Amino acid sequence: MNPLKRLGRRRASLVSLLAVSGLVIPGAATAAPDAPDAVRASTLGAQAAQSGRYFGAAVAAGKLGDGTYTSILDREFTSVTPENEMKWDTTERTRGSFTFGPADQIVNRATARGQRVRGHTLVWHSQLPTWVSSLTDANTLRGVMNNHITTVANHYKGRIHSWDVVNEAFADGGSGQHRSSVFQNLLGDGFIEQAFRTARLADPAAKLCYNDYNIENWSDAKTQGVYRMVRDFTSRGVPIDCVGLQAHFGAGGPPSSFQTTLANFAALGVDVQITELDIAQASATAYTNTVRACMNVARCTGITVWGIRDSDSWRSGENPLLFDRNGAKKSAYQATLTALGGTAAARAAAAAAPTSSPPSLSAAALPTGFSWSSSGALIAPKPDATHHIAGIKDPSVVYYNGKYHVFASTASTAGYNLVYLSFSDWSQAGSATHHYLDRTAIGAGYRAAPEVFYNTSQRLWYLVYQTGNASYSTNADIGNPNGWSAPRNFYSSMPDIIKQNIGNGYWVDMWVICDSADCYLFSSDDNGHLYRSRTTVGQFPNGFTDTVIVARDSNKYALWEASNVYKVQGSDQYLLLVEAIGSDGRRYFRSWTTSSLAGSWTPLAASEGNPFARASNVSFPSGAWTRDISHGEMIRAGYDQTLTIPSCRLQYLYQGMNPGASGDYNSLPWRLGLLTQTNSTC
Ligand code: 9MR
C-alpha cells in the first residue's frame, strides 16, 4: 500500500508508461530452468508433491510431545490422519456430548504447519460406544448416526481433505456382503448411502471415501463387493469421491493385482488412496511395489502410512513402518522415496518436456496460467462518529478457530490506520463489526498494510505493518482487538540499500515469512525494487540484516508494491506475487516461484498478457464492480509464520473499486472482494 498524496505523480507518470512497449522481467527472475534431476526431493512429502500427491502418516495426539516423533512428522509428511482421536468412542462417548480436544490438537497443529488432514472415521462398527451398539430402534439409531456425522464433520468443516465416511462395512471371507453391525442390522444396506449423503451436506468441500482392508486383491469377494457398491453409488449419484484401501500387508507386500484394483476403482470415476499402509518386516521391495502401483494410477492421489516409527505401530512386533524405533530411516524409506519419483519412463518423459513447461517439476502443483471468478464487494468501510473512512484496503486474513480474521487498512483524508473484523463465513463478512485499532495500544497515526500470522514457537500472533518503518505488534489472542501491543520497529532505520535505491518512491508493504531456519522480511519501494532482509527463526523479530534487492525492474510500475510470499502446500515451492500498474492504469498481480526463500525467482504468470490476476482473467458473475485487482492476500491453508497456501482452488482477498471513481488518492472508495481460482486441476 502506497502512502499519502501519490496520486498526482502516478497519474502523470502513466502517460509515459503507456509508451512502454513491453514489461521488463526482473534480471533476478530469469534463472535457467533446473534440470529434472535437480528437483528430486529429499523428503517423502516433497517427493510425492512433485506428482501432485500427498504422503501422510497416522498421528497419535499422545505422541505430539515427543520431539523425535514430531521432527520426523514435520519433515516428511504433508498429510496426517488422527489414528484414534476422531473415532466415535472419543468424539461422542456419551450421547450428545462431543469431545474434540485430542483431535483438535492434531488438526490445529497440522493446519498450522501446512499439513493436510484426513478424517478417520465417521461411521464404524468398532471403537463404537456401547450406548450406540446397544440401540434397538432404527429411527433412534438413524437420528444418532446422522447427528454424529453432522456434528463431527461440521466441527472440522473446511479442514479435512478426505473423510472416511464409513469404515470397514464389508464382511471378510467369500460373501461379498456387508458385515453384521448395529448399523447394518437396524438400518439395512442403506445405512452407507445415508451416511454419505449426510456427510456431503455437512462438509461439501471434503472428499468422501469408503475405507476398508483386504480389498487390495482384485478377485477377492470383499473387493468385488465394495466395487459393486461404488459402481452403484456413482451410477445413482450417491455422493462418493474416493475409496480408501488400507493396505495392511503381510511380508510379501501387495497382491500382484493391486494396481489393477486401484485402476478399476479409479475407472468408476473416484479417487483412490492408500490409507493405512504398513507391511510386516517392511521389505524395500514390498514398499516399492506398493508405491509404484499408486504412482502408476493417475487417480491414486496419496499414500498414508499407519504410524511413523515401528514403535508407534499397532503391529509394532512386526516392524512394519519406514522408521525404526530410534527414528532412523530404514531401507524401506529409501525405496519409498525412490518409488515416489515415478517410473523411469515418467522421468524420461519429464526430461524430454519442452523448456517452456514449468522449470521445476514441483511447480506443477501451480498452473502456469490462472483464471478466477470474483465475488461482488464483500466488505465496505463502516464509518463511525470519529472514523470518516473512505476506503478499506490491503487486507490480511487467516482462518483460525472456525473464523476468518481480517485486518485491513482504513483510508481517509485524515490518513491511514487499521481495522479488524471476524466472521464465520463470507456471507457474514459484510455484517461483521469493525474494530478500529487506533483505539488500542497500536495507536493513532500512520499505520497501514497489515500482515497477520501466528508464531508457533513464541505462541504469539504478530501483526506486521508499515508506519514509515517496518513495525509489528503482538497479541496472545487474535480474537481480542485490545490485546495488541504498542508498535515496535524491525529496523533502527531504513536500511542503506533502500535509501540508495528508493528515489522518489515510498518504503511500503512489509511482509514476513519463515521457513524452518530463517525468517525473511520483504518490502517494496514504489520504485521498481523488491527488498529482502533475513534473521533466524530463533532471533525473530530481531536481527533483520543483510538487506538485498531480490528483484528489480527498470519500469517501476511493473514491480510496484504489495508483494506477498507464500509456501505452496505439499511442494517445495514458494510463490511471490507483486502488484503492478498495467498499461491501462489499472492494478494487477504478477507471479514468480522459487524453491528457496533466499534464492532468486522464476516467472510463473508474470506479464500483462498472462497475469496472475488482472481484470482480464477474472470473471464477475455478480457484476464487474472493479477493474483493479489490487493489494490483498491469499486465503491460507494454515495461519502460522510459514504462510502456507493450498496448491488447489486458490482464493485471494483483494481490494477493488468502482472504475468510475476519481479524486484524492486517500479518498478513493476501495472495497474488498474475493477471487476464487476457476482453472484448478485438482
Ligand atoms: O491403529 C489403531 C489402534 O491404535 C487402535 O487400537 C485400533 C482399534 O481398533 O485401531 C487402529 O487403527 C485401525 C484403523 O482405525 C482402521 N483400520 C485398521 C487399523 C488397525 O487396526
Side-chain angles (χ1 to χ4, degrees):
M1 204 288 310
N2 53 351
L4 318 179
K5 292 188 240 122
R6 208 181 48 206
L7 181 71
R9 196 171 62 250
R10 178 168 71 83
R11 283 270 164 85
S13 309
L14 287 177
V15 177
S16 54
L17 175 63
L18 290 170
V20 175
S21 57
L23 296 176
V24 182
I25 291 169
T30 53
D34 292 334
D37 278 353
V39 299
R40 301 301 293 276
S42 57
T43 63
L44 300 168
Q47 187 65 63
Q50 294 198 359
S51 63
R53 293 175 171 85
Y54 66 84
F55 201 94
V59 166
K63 293 187 176 148
L64 294 175
D66 175 338
T68 309
Y69 183 84
T70 52
S71 72
I72 302 172
L73 171 61
D74 295 342
R75 188 185 70 216
E76 300 286 344
F77 297 99
T78 51
S79 172
V80 306
T81 307
E83 185 173 359
N84 289 298
E85 293 75 358
M86 287 182 171
K87 293 174 181 172
W88 200 315
D89 62 355
T90 299
T91 50
E92 196 185 3
R93 176 169 281 283
T94 52
R95 184 168 174 179
S97 162
F98 287 84
T99 304
F100 293 116
D104 281 354
Q105 225 189 313
I106 296 175
V107 174
N108 291 340
R109 188 183 186 285
T111 309
R113 284 162 178 75
Q115 292 158 323
R116 306 171 73 207
V117 183
R118 283 196 95 256
H120 176 80
T121 173
L122 295 169
V123 178
W124 187 24
H125 66 275
S126 180
Q127 287 178 278
L128 186 67
T130 46
W131 72 263
V132 185
S133 54
S134 56
L135 289 173
T136 52
D137 176 64
N139 285 334
T140 307
L141 178 63
R142 191 175 299 108
V144 157
M145 182 182 85
N146 288 339
N147 182 54
H148 182 80
I149 294 170
T150 303
T151 308
V152 177
N154 192 47
H155 182 79
Y156 293 106
K157 186 175 181 165
R159 292 189 282 168
I160 303 294
H161 67 82
S162 310
W163 261 114
D164 289 334
V165 177
V166 176
N167 192 41
E168 301 176 5
F170 277 74
D172 293 313
S175 75
Q177 301 299 309
H178 294 179
R179 72 167 69 233
S180 166
S181 72
V182 68
F183 303 106
Q184 179 68 31
N185 302 345
L186 290 190
L187 305 178
D189 284 349
F191 88 89
I192 304 182
E193 172 172 350
Q194 171 82 71
F196 275 82
R197 290 191 186 281
T198 306
R200 180 66 101 224
L201 288 175
D203 186 358
K207 298 221 175 201
L208 304 183
C209 305
Y210 176 78
N211 191 54
D212 216 328
Y213 64 90
N214 281 354
I215 57 167
E216 294 83 10
N217 185 24
W218 175 240
S219 59
D220 282 358
K222 190 171 175 184
T223 310
Q224 291 297 309
V226 173
Y227 180 81
R228 279 194 298 274
M229 177 190 76
V230 177
R231 190 176 56 191
D232 170 52
F233 278 15
T234 54
S235 73
R236 290 191 295 113
V238 179
I240 184 167
D241 307 300
C242 37
V243 175
L245 297 96
Q246 293 184 6
H248 294 294
F249 291 134
S256 57
S257 63
F258 185 41
Q259 186 177 316
T260 302
T261 306
L262 294 175
N264 287 347
F265 276 116
L268 293 175
V270 292
D271 290 345
V272 287
Q273 303 174 1
I274 297 177
T275 52
E276 303 183 12
L277 178 61
D278 48 23
I279 306 178
Q281 314 317 329
S283 90
T285 310
Y287 267 97
T288 298
N289 292 342
T290 309
V291 174
R292 273 196 188 152
C294 180
M295 295 301 292
N296 290 338
V297 175
R299 289 197 78 153
C300 182
T301 56
I303 299 175
T304 297
V305 286
W306 206 242
I308 296 179
R309 299 161 301 194
D310 286 333
S311 47
D312 303 318
S313 170
W314 68 298
R315 48 199 296 215
S316 58
E318 296 174 287
N319 298 323
L321 293 174
L322 301 177
F323 296 89
D324 71 16
R325 271 144 224 276
N326 301 317
K329 297 170 180 172
K330 297 163 61 178
S331 62
Y333 171 93
Q334 284 309 334
T336 299
L337 188 62
T338 304
L340 286 171
T343 61
R347 279 199 300 281
T355 50
S356 60
S357 66
S360 155
L361 291 180
S362 51
L366 291 177
T368 50
F370 293 84
S371 52
W372 308 89
S373 174
S374 178
S375 69
L378 298 174
I379 299 174
K382 289 195 175 168
D384 67 13
T386 53
H387 297 87
H388 305 290
I389 311 297
I392 185 160
K393 309 190 59 179
D394 317 322
S396 181
V397 54
V398 287
Y399 187 78
Y400 173 75
N401 243 352
K403 282 188 169 173
Y404 291 99
H405 300 260
V406 173
F407 296 81
S409 309
T410 55
S412 71
T413 49
Y416 292 86
N417 206 279
L418 303 172
V419 67
Y420 162 73
L421 53 152
S422 69
F423 43 87
S424 53
D425 65 68
W426 292 105
S427 66
Q428 306 296 311
S431 50
T433 302
H434 289 203
H435 300 273
Y436 290 105
L437 297 182
D438 60 353
R439 295 187 174 130
T440 73
I442 286 176
Y446 172 41
R447 284 104 177 82
E451 180 211 8
V452 69
F453 62 86
Y454 185 66
N455 182 311
T456 42
S457 50
Q458 297 173 14
R459 297 175 184 240
L460 271 182
W461 291 93
Y462 273 76
L463 194 65
V464 174
Y465 48 95
Q466 68 199 42
T467 56
N469 200 319
S471 304
Y472 65 91
S473 296
T474 59
N475 190 343
D477 175 5
I478 192 173
N480 174 14
N482 292 314
W484 292 103
S485 62
R488 301 176 71 102
N489 293 337
F490 286 110
Y491 303 99
S492 53
S493 62
M494 183 189 283
D496 285 344
I497 190 168
I498 304 183
K499 282 185 194 149
Q500 289 150 13
N501 288 278
I502 192 167
N504 291 327
Y506 292 92
W507 188 27
V508 295
D509 299 335
M510 289 72 184
W511 182 273
V512 169
I513 178 171
C514 309
D515 59 24
S516 54
D518 293 310
C519 293
Y520 298 83
L521 202 173
F522 289 84
S523 58
S524 300
D525 67 0
D526 286 358
N527 195 37
H529 304 98
L530 178 67
Y531 301 99
R532 185 189 69 214
S533 310
R534 169 156 61 173
T535 189
T536 62
V537 165
Q539 272 188 293
F540 178 83
N542 303 310
F544 275 114
T545 54
D546 305 334
T547 307
V548 294
I549 296 177
V550 221
R552 66 169 79 231
D553 200 307
S554 55
N555 169 15
K556 63 184 179 183
Y557 300 106
L559 199 76
W560 187 243
E561 59 186 7
S563 59
N564 302 177
V565 184
Y566 304 97
K567 175 81 195 315
V568 182
Q569 187 173 49
S571 82
D572 60 358
Q573 291 292 297
Y574 294 88
L575 175 70
L576 164 68
L577 307 180
V578 183
E579 184 179 349
I581 305 176
S583 50
D584 57 358
R586 297 296 176 184
R587 305 299 184 106
Y588 75 102
F589 280 95
R590 307 170 66 202
S591 61
W592 293 259
T593 60
T594 188
S595 57
S596 163
L597 285 171
S600 62
W601 296 87
T602 302
L604 181 68
S607 65
E608 278 201 54
N610 180 28
F612 179 75
R614 185 170 184 248
S616 55
N617 66 347
V618 176
S619 65
F620 292 89
S622 50
W625 62 280
T626 177
R627 300 303 291 163
D628 290 282
I629 308 293
S630 182
H631 193 139
E633 222 185 68
M634 205 76 89
I635 307 301
R636 299 175 215 164
Y639 46 82
D640 71 2
Q641 70 281 348
T642 65
L643 283 288
T644 302
I645 57 166
S647 57
C648 296
R649 280 166 282 178
L650 302 179
Q651 290 195 297
Y652 195 80
L653 183 65
Y654 71 102
Q655 61 177 34
M657 67 164 167
N658 178 350
S662 63
D664 171 50
Y665 188 76
N666 295 351
S667 301
L668 291 174
W670 294 100
R671 306 282 182 265
L672 304 183
L674 183 68
L675 301 180
T676 299
Q677 189 191 357
T678 53
N679 69 328
S680 181
T681 53
C682 41

